[in-house]
Amino acid sequence: MTKKWRDVGTLYQIYPRSFQDTDSDGIGDIPGIISRLDYIASVADAIWLAPIYASPQKDFGYDVSSYVDIQPEYGTLADFDRLVQYSHDRNIKVMMDLTPNHTSEEHEWFKESRSSRDNSKRDWYVWRDPKEDGSAPNNWVSLSGGKAWTFDEVTGQYYLHSWMSHQPDLNWANPDMRQAMLDAMRFWLDRGVDGFRIDAVWVLAKNEAYLDDPVRPGGDTENYSGYDHTMCRNGDRLNEYLKYMADVVAEYDDRLMILEYYSSHEFGDSNTQLYNLQSIAPDVCTTFFFDAMQWPFSAEAMGQGITNYLLNMPENSLPVFCFGNHDQTRMINRFGGEDQARLIATMQLTLPGLPCVYYGEEIGMRDGYIPEGKGQDGFGGGGMMSGRDPERTPMQWSGGFQAGFTDSNDPWLPVGESYVDRNVESEETEAVSFLKLYRTLIDMRRDNELFRNGQFVLLGFDNNILAYDIVDGESKYSVMLNFADYEQSVYVEGQAIVSSLTVKDGLVGKNGQTVLRPFEAILVAY
Ligand code: GLC
């Protein structure tokens, strides 16, 4: 029996293409994930797989050509069923990725839709006439760079794509299309899948009159940042559309969907909207909380921001703190070093809710170096996201050939240089390692409900030390995080039991007046 979602200690994001290759084509696959389930069980109670659906891989699976099939380079449906079964045998839940906003241009739905204006699936996508001068229906630009409209010669209309032209947007206003998508969800839920990570929800609903986005004063109209995206995102019907999905998830026992939503984007998204999304169906639906990954590395920014988020969150909502994913530079690069990343990990894994760990964070992987000509990400300049290869390099299993990821001489992305001393094999045996820190904290979360469902109480952030308690009735732990790059003394009332720098060593006697080393975080028990 897997745990209930509310009792899951950590959710682990796997980028299947980069996790483990078993057929020597340089691309990770489902049998590879299966072969690593014992390891996964040591760090997580649930996995989220980036898309493995049939796809031409122009956006590595976020361009789906069939929602009810597996891309052959990853394996077969039978492999997938085995993955679900073997995961469940080890008490690991399996969450799939769902991209409801767009398909690949190679999806049968789009092929039909583009074939003629009278096709029954024409309205499943967003088609509009050119303006009189032949130009695009409005000024919207795509998140991956360039215009959001492409003219289709065959039928003389433009279709909308919030990302690349290979990724036409579906029209959620069309009930038949919606039904087909909800049926696809049921297809996987019936196979035992425990939930979905829902991709890019902010664009699912648009302004229904398709009005121009306002250009910012002095804004570069070729660039995504040149506009206030008040029309192309967060349309009035967004909650309604998401509720349809949540209702499907709620038909099954203990399933969950987590929405991708960046409230700190400067593009018209907001915390109000984030909470709004979290209130849709709090029992079965929540959002990732990404804001903290964009905040400055400071006790005040983190302390205030986290308090604010948790205090204002809708009742019964499940917070999902997240500091990395396949679209974002890795934690070590983002926060300036390994010690800083260890501090953030200690914070993440002691905050309430369901923390999401991106593969490799737990061994201290940093962004890989991608030599000229080796890049794979199709997203170009001018978009909101571009150049995401460095955070997608292969999982570092060992210090051996291709870090143990593949037998191939030519992995789809080169192995990151850090594999020599940041890999699972060596970290299993080192006295002090990222992996030891993660496992120690993850075990505590798993064993102790207080960490998952306790109350966060801010103690302060003076002198760049963030201090908080996690409280549940009479029980309490404290966390002290020294964001400063110099030593500072703190008063520890209980007994320090974990240090982000040395895990468990060196803590004996760490009570009373105690020196925190630069970027050291400690967990204190009473
Ligand atoms: C989301 C995904 C990203 C993808 C985009 C388009 O932001 O996380 O990887 O490229 O949506 O589907």
Side-chain angles (χ1 to χ4, degrees):
M1 269 281 279
T2 61
K3 292 177 177 166
K4 294 266 177 213
W5 271 113
R6 296 269 164 172
D7 293 327
V8 162
T10 45
L11 170 67
Y12 186 68
Q13 183 192 353
I14 292 179
Y15 198 70
R17 209 173 174 78
S18 290
F19 202 60
Q20 177 68 66
D21 176 24
T22 55
D23 58 0
S24 309
D25 62 356
I27 294 171
D29 44 48
I30 298 172
I33 301 173
I34 293 176
S35 73
R36 295 297 186 176
L37 279 174
D38 286 338
Y39 172 77
I40 294 169
S42 78
V43 290
D45 299 317
I47 51 176
W48 145 36
L49 307 173
I52 48 175
Y53 305 100
S55 156
Q57 304 291 313
K58 297 248 166 71
D59 189 16
F60 297 112
Y62 290 98
D63 50 329
V64 175
S65 55
S66 168
Y67 286 100
V68 290
D69 210 351
I70 302 284
Q71 172 67 5
E73 65 206 9
Y74 297 135
T76 61
L77 266 176
D79 290 330
F80 180 77
D81 288 341
R82 262 194 298 279
L83 173 63
V84 173
Q85 188 197 325
Y86 297 165
S87 300
H88 287 172
D89 288 349
R90 288 173 176 79
N91 301 328
I92 301 167
K93 287 181 176 294
V94 180
M95 178 174 267
M96 288 192 91
D97 212 306
L98 186 77
T99 307
N101 178 67
H102 46 271
T103 67
S104 158
E105 63 189 337
E106 291 182 25
H107 198 295
E108 286 304 322
W109 299 345
F110 188 66
K111 286 187 190 164
E112 281 192 47
S113 183
R114 90 188 310 179
S115 66
S116 93
R117 290 194 188 202
D118 305 325
N119 186 277
S120 61
K121 294 200 173 60
R122 182 66 171 182
D123 187 48
W124 285 32
Y125 292 82
V126 182
W127 293 97
R128 290 289 180 277
D129 286 330
K131 284 189 180 155
E132 264 175 28
D133 63 359
S135 64
N138 67 24
N139 69 355
W140 295 359
V141 287
S142 115
L143 284 116
S144 51
K147 295 278 173 215
W149 296 93
T150 290
F151 186 68
D152 196 49
E153 299 284 347
V154 182
T155 53
Q157 284 191 312
Y158 281 88
Y159 67 88
L160 179 67
H161 47 89
S162 295
W163 273 271
M164 293 188 287
S165 62
H166 318 288
Q167 296 167 292
D169 277 31
L170 287 159
N171 176 21
W172 270 78
N174 182 296
D176 295 335
M177 187 289 294
R178 288 201 305 259
Q179 206 45 56
M181 189 63 74
L182 302 180
D183 286 346
M185 292 175 77
R186 289 195 184 92
F187 175 87
W188 298 104
L189 292 165
D190 288 339
R191 294 187 108 82
V193 159
D194 298 286
F196 296 98
R197 173 262 188 192
I198 311 283
D199 185 66
V201 302
W202 59 91
V203 278
L204 205 58
K206 290 96 173 156
N207 168 267
E208 300 225 313
Y210 287 81
L211 298 177
D212 277 352
D213 275 328
V215 178
R216 291 182 164 177
D220 170 4
T221 53
E222 296 301 309
N223 199 298
Y224 204 80
S225 62
Y227 299 84
D228 284 324
H229 296 270
T230 48
M231 299 298 162
C232 72
R233 315 165 65 111
N234 296 307
D236 291 343
R237 296 183 71 182
L238 180 57
N239 286 19
E240 176 199 332
Y241 297 157
L242 291 167
K243 182 73 167 53
Y244 295 134
M245 293 189 227
D247 286 346
V248 169
V249 169
E251 288 165 14
Y252 296 77
D253 181 39
D254 194 42
R255 313 292 166 99
L256 179 71
M257 56 188 227
I258 312 182
L259 313 177
E260 183 196 24
Y261 189 83
Y262 288 84
S263 56
S264 65
H265 277 168
E266 36 169 338
F267 304 124
D269 302 353
S270 64
N271 262 321
T272 316
Q273 175 67 319
L274 179 88
Y275 293 136
N276 200 345
L277 297 175
Q278 281 183 223
S279 344
I280 293 174
D283 286 340
V284 294
C285 175
T286 186
T287 59
F288 286 101
F289 189 63
F290 293 133
D291 288 25
M293 114 173 129
Q294 318 286 352
W295 293 335
F297 185 82
S298 96
E300 183 172 351
M302 297 286 174
Q304 269 178 345
I306 290 167
T307 310
N308 192 33
Y309 171 65
L310 290 172
L311 277 183
N312 293 301
M313 206 176 60
E315 212 176 313
N316 195 31
S317 195
L318 179 67
V320 185
F321 284 97
C322 186
F323 288 90
N325 62 37
H326 62 290
D327 298 323
Q328 305 293 337
T329 193
R330 282 187 178 272
M331 256 162 65
I332 294 181
N333 301 73
R334 170 180 308 282
F335 292 115
E338 293 198 338
D339 292 348
Q340 290 92 320
R342 285 162 169 270
L343 174 145
I344 296 288
T346 308
M347 183 174 84
Q348 182 193 20
L349 297 172
T350 53
L351 288 174
L354 173 63
C356 183
V357 173
Y358 182 50
Y359 84 94
E361 277 173 3
E362 80 283 13
I363 52 167
M365 269 176 71
R366 53 178 72 224
D367 282 358
Y369 167 69
I370 312 295
E372 193 72 28
K374 285 279 180 196
Q376 299 281 347
D377 187 10
F379 285 11
M384 187 191 74
M385 304 168 166
S386 60
R388 299 168 296 174
D389 295 320
E391 59 264 25
R392 297 176 175 180
T393 57
M395 178 65 178
Q396 299 167 187
W397 295 106
S398 75
F401 183 68
Q402 306 289 18
F405 164 67
T406 180
D407 291 343
S408 162
N409 288 318
D410 193 22
W412 82 283
L413 279 177
V415 169
E417 289 165 317
S418 63
Y419 83 98
V420 182
D421 48 10
R422 293 290 171 264
N423 64 69
V424 173
E425 205 174 273
S426 65
E427 295 195 30
E428 298 260 11
T429 51
E430 277 162 28
V432 174
S433 66
F434 266 88
L435 190 55
K436 289 257 157 77
L437 175 67
Y438 270 83
R439 280 193 178 146
T440 302
L441 294 168
I442 288 168
D443 283 348
M444 299 194 62
R445 284 193 82 76
R446 285 170 148 173
D447 294 346
N448 197 334
E449 205 205 327
L450 176 140
F451 287 104
R452 304 186 304 269
N453 297 323
Q455 201 199 340
F456 169 91
V457 181
L458 179 72
L459 299 176
F461 40 73
D462 290 348
N463 304 321
N464 218 5
I465 295 176
L466 173 60
Y468 55 86
D469 286 342
I470 298 292
V471 189
D472 188 5
E474 297 287 287
S475 324
K476 167 176 108 168
Y477 285 83
S478 300
V479 184
M480 295 179 182
L481 309 117
N482 181 16
F483 279 79
D485 60 0
Y486 44 85
E487 283 183 5
Q488 302 206 71
S489 179
V490 288
Y491 188 76
V492 177
E493 224 178 89
Q495 176 75 38
I497 53 166
V498 180
S499 155
S500 62
L501 298 181
T502 48
V503 192
K504 287 184 164 162
D505 297 337
L507 286 171
V508 185
K510 270 214 172 185
N511 56 17
Q513 209 59 37
T514 299
V515 173
L516 291 183
R517 288 164 281 185
F519 305 129
E520 182 172 26
I522 57 169
L523 176 65
V524 178
Y526 294 89

